[in-house]
Amino acid sequence: MSTRTAPWRLVAQREVMVKLRDKSFILGTLMSLALVAGLMGFQAWQAERHRDVTLVATPEATSMAQAVATPAEADDKLTITVQDEPDADAARAALESGDADGWLHEQDGTWTLTAYDEQDGALSSAVTEGVAQQVLAERAEAAGTTTAELTKGARSPRPCSRATPSEPVWRRPSASSWRSSSTSAR
């Protein structure tokens, strides 16, 4: 009895063995693995690091800046320090000198976060969320209600559940139902 190997299998085995002995293949594979591991480590480090940011506010915006900084203090990855400046020019100067990361001010009835070069993503999201919560609370108080009452129906809906899990969600109509619906339409 002959134990002859199929030609394609012999060629594939030889190609695999050649690749496994090739120094550039081994080096490239190891470098790719090291790069992937390094990127994963960097992302884990970025996710866990703590940020200290400074938010500049003029006297008209100090209460809003303090309201924004308070919920951010509950976040263990971001601390917002509010720095009071006497006017807009002093706030701009603090941004330009690098003493502040952002300037919160009201412009044409809208709260605006201004940065000198590039907005810090964590600061931007904290300010956006904090301003929205504060404005909602102020409007609720002016309307004589609470924030909870205003947002009562605005929560995300719960997922639906079916009474019988085996029942399909959608059924394709059979040929007879197509015919009956088309004849009843005449």
Side-chain angles (χ1 to χ4, degrees):
M1 183 167 182
S2 171
T3 58
R4 189 168 180 237
T5 308
W8 65 269
R9 192 176 223 177
L10 184 64
V11 170
Q13 184 178 10
R14 181 186 176 284
E15 288 297 320
V16 168
M17 293 308 291
V18 166
K19 278 290 183 193
L20 289 176
R21 289 188 189 113
D22 187 16
K23 288 179 186 175
S24 62
F25 174 77
I26 294 170
L27 185 63
T29 302
L30 291 176
M31 290 188 71
S32 296
L33 288 173
L35 181 68
V36 168
L39 286 174
M40 288 174 57
F42 178 73
Q43 288 176 343
W45 175 75
Q46 282 285 90
E48 291 300 318
R49 77 180 186 145
H50 181 78
R51 298 261 323 173
D52 290 320
V53 294
T54 303
L55 183 63
V56 174
T58 54
E60 308 85 42
T62 301
S63 62
M64 181 61 80
Q66 291 293 344
V68 165
T70 304
E73 290 175 4
D75 183 11
D76 62 341
K77 293 182 177 48
L78 179 68
T79 302
I80 298 176
T81 304
V82 177
Q83 176 181 326
D84 295 326
E85 292 294 340
D87 59 7
D89 292 332
R92 280 190 201 92
L95 285 176
E96 289 174 5
S97 67
D99 293 337
D101 299 298
W103 169 32
L104 182 63
H105 57 100
E106 195 170 7
Q107 182 177 3
D108 299 328
T110 303
W111 287 102
T112 306
L113 176 64
T114 304
Y116 178 68
D117 190 22
E118 183 179 321
Q119 272 194 5
D120 182 82
L123 176 62
S124 178
S125 24
V127 166
T128 301
E129 185 178 323
V131 166
Q133 288 175 357
Q134 184 66 21
V135 168
L136 184 64
E138 289 172 2
R139 290 187 180 166
E141 185 179 324
T145 186
T146 64
T147 306
E149 282 296 317
L150 284 178
T151 59
K152 190 175 184 179
R155 302 280 185 237
S156 299
R158 287 182 280 194
C160 297
S161 61
R162 290 183 273 152
T164 55
S166 60
E167 181 180 309
V169 176
W170 180 79
R171 290 188 192 156
R172 185 181 186 128
S174 63
S176 62
S177 66
W178 281 109
R179 269 186 252 122
S180 65
S181 64
S182 63
T183 52
S184 64
R186 289 185 193 167

